[in-house]
Amino acid sequence: MPRRAKGPRLYLRRGRIDRRSGSALPDVYVIRDGAVEVSTGCGPDRLPDAERALAAYLAEKFTAPVLKADSRRDPDQVFVAEVLALYVQDHKDSSRLDRATFQRFAANLVAWWGERRLSDVKRSTCQAYAKHRQAQPDARYKDPLTAPRVSSETARRELEILSAAIGYWHGEDTLTTRPIVWLPDKPESPRDALTRAQAARLLKAALGYRNDPETGAWKRLGPSAVANRRHLRRFVLIGLYTGTRHSASKAVLWEESLLQAWVDLDKGMIYRRGRGERETTKRRPVVRLPRRLLAHMRRWRRMDAEREAEIRETDPDFHLVSVIHHGGAPITGKIRTGFEGIVRDAGLPEEVTPHWLRHTAATWLMEAGVDMWEAAAYLGMTVQTLEKHYAHHRPDYQAAALGAIR
């Protein structure tokens, strides 16, 4: 059975030796699209630029022929692919998703809607798209026969992008009739959190251990498995200590940046967004590092400096800038596959996801009785959200009412 195409994506090509000149070529991000490979010209420290190159590639690939002004207002003449291409190119930074996920979702939409026109967007076709996506295997798994199917939530989020893209087009060229995108029912978030014991088990699995569900004994994994989980150890600790969203955690750099989150070890702070990034509805305020996490991060920095010096003996241009990396390479995609592995080895429920780390941090702050305003600022969420979903964990929750009713 031929391997299913993954669509355009970024890949960090390690430095090679030029066959003609014999000189060493630096690491560079390339766009892989089936058998086609296009260089972005961006090294490991220029991930945002490489992502913009991927977005431009998507826009160029999927843009339909340019329409005349009058035709751009007619849903019967506007291709969905053109609407999506404009949104990918101009609106990607406003998405609530990380860039790689946003671009992949847009590519999934184009693959199904590309040859259709805006007049084809209606309840029946949206329902057909959701049914189509939920019959497809999850692309994160290698074997499509055993892979789980795409969830209803994923189909909904993709259709939300379609709706936003249509709205963006409508804001520029007012459509005579604006299509309404039907959406599957939104699942209720459980807002579950890990207990202290479960968090310890998760961290132990990230350290390279596997729990035997029958005996309860822990088994040490091989050296390669331990090495492959180094980035997960850092990811889990940053998530538990700061409650930072996982998309921001994996983007943190060791050096100040205009376009990515970064850490200042001298001041003991993580800047969850780059100097030049604008604030969105998903707040990313500066967070002070707890003493223990700061000690961990300073130790990680020393380890990475030694690793960088070692690699630069054979590759003088190598520069290790990402806090969470895999063998020196930044994490460009989802971290969820590796996370699912440590969840299994820790013997935790399979519904535990990276976002549980944020829920856990919020829950622990409330259990400790931290002031609502201070906790909300620390986590990067509104007081209303914190109160709605986590306030019942506070030790003084409804204490006044309880005292009065007695």
Side-chain angles (χ1 to χ4, degrees):
M1 180 182 229
R3 180 178 293 181
R4 195 163 55 92
K6 294 183 178 179
R9 65 199 185 281
L10 285 178
Y11 173 76
L12 182 63
R13 177 166 292 288
R14 288 297 187 182
R16 296 174 295 172
I17 303 299
D18 192 311
R19 295 180 180 178
R20 296 180 181 178
S21 64
S23 59
L25 300 175
D27 298 351
V28 64
Y29 280 110
V30 298
I31 299 171
R32 281 186 171 179
D33 187 6
V36 177
E37 192 170 281
V38 181
S39 174
T40 65
C42 302
D45 58 336
R46 296 177 57 199
L47 177 58
D49 293 334
E51 290 173 336
R52 280 192 286 273
L54 175 61
Y57 178 87
L58 286 168
E60 182 178 355
K61 178 177 180 178
F62 298 129
T63 299
V66 177
L67 300 174
K68 296 181 180 179
D70 291 342
S71 299
R72 293 174 66 87
R73 301 178 62 247
D74 186 354
D76 287 326
Q77 300 190 51
V78 180
F79 285 94
V80 175
E82 186 173 14
V83 173
L84 288 168
L86 177 66
Y87 190 67
V88 168
Q89 185 173 6
D90 296 351
H91 211 72
K92 60 183 182 300
D93 291 334
S94 298
S95 173
R96 294 175 297 169
L97 306 169
D98 64 85
R99 294 185 181 95
T101 302
F102 171 71
Q103 290 159 357
R104 186 176 69 253
F105 282 3
N108 291 334
L109 287 165
V110 169
W112 197 86
W113 292 95
E115 298 181 359
R116 292 173 170 83
R117 302 173 191 269
L118 285 184
S119 56
D120 296 320
V121 178
K122 46 192 175 183
R123 181 179 58 206
S124 58
T125 52
C126 291
Q127 290 173 339
Y129 175 79
K131 183 178 180 180
H132 157 76
R133 288 292 288 136
Q134 291 177 70
Q136 290 186 311
D138 191 323
R140 296 172 298 150
Y141 295 81
K142 293 182 179 180
D143 188 352
L145 296 178
T146 59
R149 303 298 97 174
V150 172
S151 67
S152 172
E153 182 179 4
T154 297
R156 177 188 172 90
R157 296 173 84 183
E158 291 176 353
L159 286 170
E160 286 176 340
I161 291 177
L162 174 61
S163 179
I166 294 173
Y168 189 63
W169 181 281
H170 183 65
E172 178 68 21
D173 297 282
T174 306
L175 297 166
T176 55
T177 303
R178 178 178 173 178
I180 298 177
V181 177
W182 172 89
L183 299 175
D185 292 336
K186 188 174 183 178
E188 189 67 28
S189 174
R191 305 275 178 179
D192 286 334
L194 299 172
T195 64
R196 302 275 176 176
Q198 288 176 325
R201 294 172 68 89
L202 184 67
L203 184 57
K204 187 161 187 174
L207 287 168
Y209 290 86
R210 177 177 296 149
N211 184 261
D212 188 329
E214 295 182 359
T215 64
W218 288 90
K219 176 184 178 182
R220 180 71 167 175
L221 302 179
S224 61
V226 174
N228 285 334
R229 293 185 175 184
R230 285 198 181 101
H231 67 295
L232 294 169
R233 299 196 278 276
R234 300 185 180 188
F235 179 76
V236 169
L237 284 173
I238 292 175
L240 289 175
Y241 272 113
T242 69
T244 301
R245 292 181 178 86
H246 56 275
S247 58
S249 291
K250 67 185 183 68
V252 176
L253 302 178
W254 287 122
E255 302 172 354
E256 182 176 346
S257 172
L258 288 174
L259 301 173
Q260 282 184 244
W262 58 284
V263 60
D264 187 332
L265 293 179
D266 293 330
K267 295 181 179 179
M269 293 183 175
I270 289 181
Y271 294 81
R272 289 180 171 129
R273 58 189 174 97
R275 293 288 194 189
E277 288 187 295
R278 63 181 180 181
E279 189 67 282
T280 65
T281 54
K282 297 293 184 180
R283 299 182 180 183
R284 292 177 292 167
V286 178
V287 59
R288 291 190 61 181
L289 292 171
R291 179 176 54 84
R292 290 186 178 180
L293 180 58
L294 180 59
H296 280 301
M297 297 195 77
R298 285 173 173 164
R299 176 173 56 85
W300 299 340
R301 185 64 180 118
R302 291 193 297 270
M303 294 168 57
D304 285 357
E306 294 173 359
R307 174 65 174 165
E308 180 178 344
E310 179 183 338
I311 295 178
R312 294 187 75 167
E313 291 181 0
T314 56
D315 183 3
D317 296 326
F318 179 79
H319 193 34
L320 204 164
V321 294
S322 296
V323 175
I324 298 178
H325 58 85
H326 194 282
I331 308 297
T332 57
K334 288 260 187 181
I335 206 168
R336 190 164 182 170
T337 302
F339 191 85
E340 288 175 348
I342 63 173
V343 167
R344 286 194 301 271
D345 288 348
L348 299 179
E350 62 179 11
E351 59 264 23
V352 174
T353 66
H355 203 62
W356 276 49
L357 302 178
R358 181 167 170 81
H359 294 323
T360 301
T363 300
W364 288 359
L365 287 175
M366 293 296 95
E367 289 176 345
V370 176
D371 177 77
M372 296 283 287
W373 284 93
E374 188 170 346
Y378 183 84
L379 295 165
M381 66 175 64
T382 64
V383 175
Q384 291 79 7
T385 299
L386 187 65
E387 183 177 16
K388 177 180 178 182
H389 298 290
Y390 305 102
H392 61 281
H393 293 292
R394 294 179 63 85
D396 59 351
Y397 179 66
Q398 295 182 347
L402 184 60
I405 203 68
R406 284 176 180 170

